[in-house]
Amino acid sequence: MTLTPAPEPVVPRPGPEIRPTAIGPRSPESPYGPDAGPDAGPGPDAGPAPLLPRAVCEAALTALLLFLIVTAVRWLVGPDPGAAAARPAVLGAVVGTLLALFMMSPPGRCSGGHLNPAVSLALWRLGVFPGREVVPYAVAQLAGSLFGVWCAGLVWGPVTARPPVRHASVRADPAWGDAAVLAAEAGVLAGSTLMLAVLLASPGGRRVLPYAVGLTTALVIGVLGPLSGGSANPARQFGPALLAGDTGRLWVYLLGPALGAVLGAWLAGRTGLRRTAG
């Protein structure tokens, strides 16, 4: 999940208007990668790329992320039932590393590399992403999730559909009810949204943001994976749950992160972070 904040208007004026996101290395406002900072590119007048190419990048990156997650789960839990306690930590490290790399890749800098509908929602509520692009981004991310999991099934065969792989669909501990999982998913996104607001407040924070997101994701999966499932991303669970027929709690994994994003942005606004980030 990456974001690329909108450039400031030339003439400040009141009101909630948000300009389109500045894209990757073309704008000094880009928070990720070596091109971030005051010396990155020709400036905000270069303008953002059109929505369609950015949405395609989101779909492609999300598809690749889910393909690699299913691949990792297939090899972690498929061939050998041993070392179960280490699996969440290993999977967390893999996914966190992939996220950081995808954010800093050229497609990630083009789209902003959100890879998470809840992150797109959070960035809109923080005032650094156009509200009219939240739905197209979410559709692209969810479609990419489904396509990536489907491709993994084609490559790895029936083993991905059988337990314990089950298309890498996350499952909470049986002792965790719907309310507990919903609270955990919302809490993770609320905290992540506050982290985004803090790091966006300075160029230095923007430069380390991919690494912070990757580390946070690794910790969430490692700690909460065996408990709540540790998804914290509607796109992470959407494709796996649909193809595995594991849709009983899908609403929790879709709604929880969205609620957390809104809550985190509200808290950021109450503390003044939203005004700083925007």
Side-chain angles (χ1 to χ4, degrees), residues 45-277:
D45 291 338
L51 173 60
L52 181 59
R54 289 185 282 121
V56 169
C57 286
E58 282 291 300
L61 287 174
T62 307
L64 181 57
L65 177 65
L66 266 294
F67 176 87
L68 293 174
I69 287 175
V70 176
T71 299
V73 172
R74 182 259 182 272
W75 291 107
L76 281 172
V77 307
D80 181 8
R87 291 175 193 152
V90 174
L91 183 61
V94 169
V95 176
T97 301
L98 289 173
L99 278 176
L101 292 175
F102 287 176
M103 292 174 195
M104 296 182 289
S105 68
R109 290 200 299 269
C110 174
S111 70
H114 302 182
L115 308 181
N116 184 338
V119 168
S120 299
L121 177 62
L123 299 180
W124 168 46
R125 300 307 301 160
L126 287 173
V128 295
F129 187 69
R132 64 182 177 275
E133 296 185 0
V134 172
V135 171
Y137 263 50
V139 170
Q141 293 151 356
L142 295 177
S145 169
L146 192 60
F147 183 70
V149 177
W150 179 74
C151 287
L154 288 181
V155 171
W156 301 117
V159 67
T160 61
R162 297 194 295 261
V165 180
R166 294 181 58 84
H167 296 291
S169 177
V170 302
R171 287 188 168 188
D173 186 279
W176 282 57
D178 289 349
V181 176
L182 185 71
E185 291 286 296
V188 168
L189 255 295
S192 298
T193 301
L194 288 170
M195 179 188 73
L196 293 177
V198 170
L199 294 180
L200 278 173
S202 69
R206 296 175 185 185
R207 290 188 180 95
V208 303
L209 192 46
Y211 310 105
V213 169
L215 178 60
T216 300
T217 300
L219 291 174
V220 167
I221 295 174
V223 174
L224 289 179
L227 302 175
S228 67
S231 172
N233 180 349
R236 163 64 181 90
Q237 180 67 343
F238 182 73
L242 285 185
L243 291 182
D246 193 13
T247 57
R249 277 188 170 176
L250 179 58
W251 70 272
V252 175
Y253 293 104
L254 297 179
L255 180 61
L259 292 177
V262 173
L263 174 61
W266 178 81
L267 292 173
R270 296 287 292 179
T271 57
L273 292 174
R274 182 168 59 191
R275 290 191 300 272
T276 302

